[in-house]
Amino acid sequence: MGVDYEGIGLKVGLEVHQQLSSEKKLFCGCKTELFKEQPEITFLRRLRPTQSELGQIDPAAFFEFQKGVKILYEANKETACLVEMDEEPPHDLNPNALEAALMISLMLGAKPVDEIHIMRKTVIDGSNTTGFQRTCVVAFNGKIETREKIVPIQHLGLEEDAARKMDENDNVLTYRIDRLGIPLVEIATAPAIHTPQEAGEIALAVGRVLRATGRVKRGLGTIRQDLNVSIRGGGLVEIKGVQELELVSVVVENEVQRQLKLLEIRAELSKRDVKEVDFQDEFSDVTRIFAETKCKVIRAAVEKGRRVLAVRLSSFGGLLKRELMPDVRLGTEMADRAKFWGRVGGIFHTDELPAYEITLKEVDELKCAVKAKPQDAVVFVADTLENASDALKAVVERAKKASKEVPTETRAARPDGTTHYMRPRPGAARMYPETDVPPIQISPSYLQNLRKTLPELPEKKMQRLMQVYGLNEKLVRQVLDSEFSQLFEEAVRESGASPTLVAVVLTETLKALKRDGVEVERVSDGDLLELFRLVGRGEIAKEAIADMINWIAENEGAKVSDAINALGLGMLPQTELEMIVDTLIEENKRLLTERGEKAFGTLMGLVMKKVRGRAKADSVTKLVKQKLKGH
Ligand SMILES: [Zn+2]
């Protein structure tokens, strides 16, 4: 769309959170795995942080949030103990996780601290049973390089992952604490990225360094990016939870669009001469207008004795339906806030009406009741008096902001690269020391030894793979960007299969199968290695690999040998192959004679169709030539 990103002063900072592959958690010996079954243990808590622990989190925001909210925690015994349940102090910091974090720091050229101090960072959403997250700074001042750019890394941290939210209804939040305490490294770049494309490339480059260590978890949910995005004259917006590296650039593009559109709306409001005094904070009870309504949502609320409150937004007519990014309008932004602050299901506004079985007559009566002029918009909510009033307050607050600025806020990423409002952006979180875990010295000799064991940096590895295995750059990039940069070399070394074949299978073949809905994650590294060994020894044809992976993925617990039997693969013995060729010649005698010189091609096609995956093409060629001569 030709946005001049430099011209609008785009600044992006990345915060990458990556789970380490450590077997144990950061402060206890529990397994770092997630469970799918029913929980063995559940317990209910309410949040009761003291004022001093709230730090810079707006107390009003906190009390609003915890109003009547209970939190149900789910656990099983393998993945949680008394530490996660906050019934026992944390154990010592996991040395294996610290080593991995230091390794990553050194690979990114950062300077490790002399002494690790564990700190507590207040968390108010219930995702930590303690009400805080344990975190520590491991190193400062590194850098990440791509071919075009060097971006400073401000700091690297090591921290515990939070519990994962399973459900949210009415006043109960359900969290599973299997994820709580899994070691995470946090890598924060300077806000020195200036285009969406650069943001994507830097994210990929960080991802490559992380994978190169061989010390990080793989798969969806194991890496999460937070982005800080701002443009000149816009607002600093934090976007949380981008799960795919490939999405980073899309999220940045969308946020830039959103901010540009919000600035356009501000200009429009200024043209319409909207002033501070135009914003009402008194709401009209319009329940009687909807006494007979056909709109199901409103009727259900009214039948429960709830009220319909409305507010006029002067000169906002038509602006609420302005699209800011796909599926996000100014009205959506207001609805998100109404949901957060007013605990309501959603809002209605006149820019989208009549609809939802709300009639034109009802809309007219509504406008009349709040004295709306044609250029105004009206927003209304059906809920308890308290919730509806809190919701409309939030709507008016958002409208006021629209006339002034792009609000500073925290948003959450969706899987399609769009975002939604999450909460106001807290000030810099105040940290206070974790007194239950003593500081840890990092000695120069320990670092010196660690330096000697560092894995190759991805750019160097790329050059080497191209040289040693004769692969082209595109294929090497694919291997390094896949989860299999280590398995690749192991497979080539052990199996004797061609490097190109191994690289193509581990990248393109698996991707294609995944696109077709095959759950390729179910095929273990060991299975893949075994497949390559079989190909290397000439026991199965390379054409059979995709079918075998497909079969193993579909049959839980199956081995490679089961797949060979089930698919009737395995190489045909020479005698059987000869028999097949003889039979086909016999059956197609006339056809082959007619084809004359082209008989070879015809017969090859017939044979390959019959033995696909069970014989090598070159040995079939040889045999077919030989047999045709004999006839
Ligand atoms: Zn534990």
Side-chain angles (χ1 to χ4, degrees):
M1 280 178 285
V3 178
D4 172 12
Y5 290 106
E6 309 256 340
I8 59 169
L10 173 63
K11 280 189 198 163
V12 182
L14 287 180
E15 227 178 76
V16 180
H17 299 91
Q18 165 76 61
Q19 287 181 350
L20 296 175
S21 59
S22 161
E23 276 172 32
K24 292 179 182 171
K25 290 198 177 173
L26 198 51
F27 294 106
C28 67
C30 292
K31 275 193 179 173
T32 59
E33 280 165 17
L34 306 180
F35 69 94
K36 293 193 193 99
E37 306 77 31
Q38 288 299 310
E40 296 168 345
I41 306 158
T42 59
F43 53 99
L44 204 61
R45 294 271 167 89
R46 299 175 67 89
L47 287 177
R48 271 189 228 90
T50 62
Q51 190 62 39
S52 70
E53 284 176 333
L54 280 175
Q56 275 179 280
I57 287 168
D58 176 13
F62 175 73
F63 292 113
E64 202 59 43
F65 168 78
Q66 59 98 64
K67 207 187 274 176
V69 174
K70 291 190 193 92
I71 298 162
L72 181 70
Y73 292 106
E74 301 180 339
N76 76 356
K77 287 175 197 144
E78 277 208 318
T79 61
C81 65
L82 293 174
V83 173
E84 287 90 337
M85 296 174 197
D86 193 27
E87 302 281 355
E88 189 182 298
H91 306 174
D92 286 346
L93 183 76
N94 173 346
N96 175 279
L98 178 58
E99 185 184 270
L102 284 166
M103 218 164 125
I104 294 163
S105 303
L106 294 176
M107 285 176 74
L108 291 169
K111 189 179 180 315
V113 296
D114 302 331
E115 201 170 65
I116 304 276
H117 291 267
I118 317 294
M119 305 296 281
R120 297 175 171 183
K121 190 159 73 182
T122 306
V123 171
I124 61 162
D125 61 4
S127 62
N128 282 66
T129 48
T130 48
F132 54 79
Q133 178 189 31
R134 296 186 186 96
T135 175
C136 57
V137 172
V138 172
F140 288 104
N141 298 332
K143 61 180 181 356
I144 181 76
E145 270 177 78
T146 64
R147 218 168 276 176
E148 285 89 30
K149 199 168 166 76
I150 299 176
V151 172
I153 284 172
Q154 293 174 329
H155 70 264
L156 283 105
L158 178 61
E159 55 190 35
E160 47 183 7
D161 204 345
R164 54 190 178 119
K165 199 189 268 183
M166 305 298 284
D167 194 22
E168 180 170 11
N169 67 65
D170 294 332
N171 288 329
V172 183
L173 294 175
T174 305
Y175 282 100
R176 203 162 263 205
I177 59 172
D178 46 7
R179 199 178 72 182
L180 179 60
I182 292 183
L184 279 183
V185 278
E186 180 198 60
I187 299 167
T189 76
I193 299 165
H194 302 297
T195 68
Q197 188 203 349
E198 264 176 30
E201 282 164 7
I202 294 292
L204 273 177
V206 172
R208 278 184 199 125
V209 171
L210 288 168
R211 278 192 300 269
T213 63
R215 302 281 289 263
V216 300
K217 280 196 191 285
R218 307 186 322 199
L220 197 66
T222 60
I223 187 164
R224 300 192 295 274
Q225 330 261 333
D226 296 349
L227 312 176
N228 292 306
V229 183
S230 67
I231 62 173
R232 195 175 305 115
L236 179 57
V237 169
E238 182 186 28
I239 299 167
K240 287 194 139 353
V242 182
Q243 295 214 357
E244 306 232 29
L245 294 169
E246 291 76 15
L247 265 187
V248 168
S249 62
V250 181
V251 171
V252 175
E253 274 168 28
N254 279 333
E255 179 56 23
V256 167
Q257 282 305 318
R258 195 184 71 92
Q259 296 205 17
L260 289 174
K261 298 273 172 55
L262 284 173
L263 291 174
E264 278 171 32
I265 289 175
R266 184 181 70 174
E268 177 73 26
L269 285 169
S270 147
K271 224 193 285 170
R272 294 183 189 184
D273 207 19
V274 174
K275 294 193 191 66
E276 184 83 32
V277 292
D278 295 330
F279 294 99
Q280 303 181 314
D281 38 20
E282 272 172 33
F283 312 128
S284 313
D285 189 327
V286 294
T287 315
R288 60 172 178 80
I289 296 173
F290 296 97
E292 310 270 301
T293 190
K294 288 210 172 74
C295 171
K296 290 193 193 91
V297 179
I298 301 182
R299 202 176 54 210
V302 172
E303 277 167 6
K304 276 193 227 163
R306 303 198 165 153
R307 314 300 298 175
V308 185
L309 292 193
V311 68
R312 183 186 76 223
L313 298 177
S314 295
S315 301
F316 269 75
L319 295 180
L320 271 53
K321 65 179 174 200
R322 285 263 181 107
E323 189 165 74
L324 308 175
M325 69 169 88
D327 289 327
V328 176
R329 293 156 200 276
L330 184 57
T332 325
E333 301 266 292
M334 290 174 173
D336 284 347
R337 280 171 172 76
K339 288 177 198 165
F340 182 81
W341 295 103
R343 305 157 299 276
V344 299
I347 60 171
F348 294 96
H349 60 78
T350 47
D351 269 8
E352 54 177 8
L353 296 176
Y356 314 111
E357 312 230 31
I358 295 171
T359 62
L360 191 58
K361 181 168 165 275
E362 286 166 338
V363 175
D364 286 341
E365 282 180 34
L366 178 71
K367 283 186 174 167
C368 185
V370 298
K371 302 190 179 65
K373 297 185 203 71
Q375 70 272 28
D376 297 342
V378 183
V379 177
F380 56 104
V381 184
D383 209 299
T384 62
L385 211 48
E386 192 192 11
N387 286 357
S389 164
D390 285 349
L392 289 188
K393 263 185 228 159
V395 167
V396 172
E397 208 44 50
R398 182 67 190 84
K400 255 186 219 174
K401 285 259 166 79
S403 70
K404 282 191 218 148
E405 64 192 15
V406 175
T408 297
E409 64 192 41
T410 302
R411 303 179 66 85
R414 295 198 184 94
D416 66 355
T418 64
T419 61
H420 65 90
Y421 173 79
M422 210 173 147
R423 52 178 148 83
R425 196 161 187 270
R430 208 190 59 171
M431 308 254 200
Y432 49 105
E434 167 57 85
T435 44
D436 289 329
V437 185
I440 298 139
Q441 307 270 342
I442 310 280
S443 75
S445 63
Y446 171 79
L447 283 179
Q448 215 164 18
N449 284 329
L450 195 58
R451 253 179 235 282
K452 287 182 199 147
T453 65
L454 290 185
E456 237 175 337
L457 278 169
E459 286 298 315
K460 270 200 186 142
K461 187 165 182 178
M462 193 176 92
Q463 298 303 329
R464 185 174 58 81
L465 293 189
M466 284 168 62
Q467 273 171 13
V468 175
Y469 301 105
L471 302 179
N472 64 38
E473 182 176 340
K474 181 174 166 249
L475 204 48
V476 173
R477 276 247 179 258
Q478 284 176 1
V479 169
L480 291 181
D481 287 342
S482 75
E483 299 170 350
F484 302 110
S485 61
Q486 290 200 315
L487 184 65
F488 166 75
E489 289 204 84
E490 196 185 339
V492 171
R493 203 170 45 233
E494 278 200 21
S495 69
S498 97
T500 307
L501 173 74
V502 175
V504 168
V505 169
L506 290 179
T507 57
E508 287 163 17
T509 308
L510 286 177
K511 245 189 213 159
L513 286 167
K514 205 171 172 177
R515 252 198 316 272
D516 292 341
V518 179
E519 290 178 63
V520 294
E521 303 79 19
R522 288 180 155 191
V523 181
S524 71
D525 288 3
D527 291 337
L528 291 168
L529 211 53
E530 180 62 17
L531 283 175
F532 292 127
R533 279 196 206 108
L534 290 167
V535 175
R537 290 202 298 262
E539 288 174 32
I540 59 169
K542 64 176 195 287
E543 290 79 8
I545 292 181
D547 289 343
M548 303 225 358
I549 291 173
N550 192 357
W551 194 88
I552 296 168
E554 276 176 3
N555 293 274
E556 208 165 350
K559 292 196 205 68
V560 172
S561 54
D562 300 330
I564 294 179
N565 292 334
L567 295 171
L569 290 168
M571 288 298 194
L572 289 167
Q574 188 68 12
T575 48
E576 210 169 306
L577 188 60
E578 275 187 43
M579 257 167 59
I580 290 173
V581 176
D582 286 339
T583 313
L584 282 169
I585 291 177
E586 204 53 41
E587 284 172 5
N588 299 283
K589 219 164 197 164
R590 252 185 63 197
L591 177 70
L592 292 173
T593 320
E594 272 170 26
R595 303 286 292 177
E597 290 198 344
K598 289 180 185 153
F600 169 73
T602 311
L603 185 57
M604 263 312 275
L606 290 168
V607 177
M608 286 312 284
K609 203 170 149 196
K610 194 129 197 171
V611 304
R612 195 179 96 78
R614 294 184 294 156
K616 284 188 186 168
D618 51 354
S619 52
V620 175
T621 308
K622 217 166 125 191
L623 188 63
V624 166
K625 274 188 182 156
Q626 197 186 334
K627 292 277 175 186
L628 278 178
K629 255 186 216 159
H631 278 264

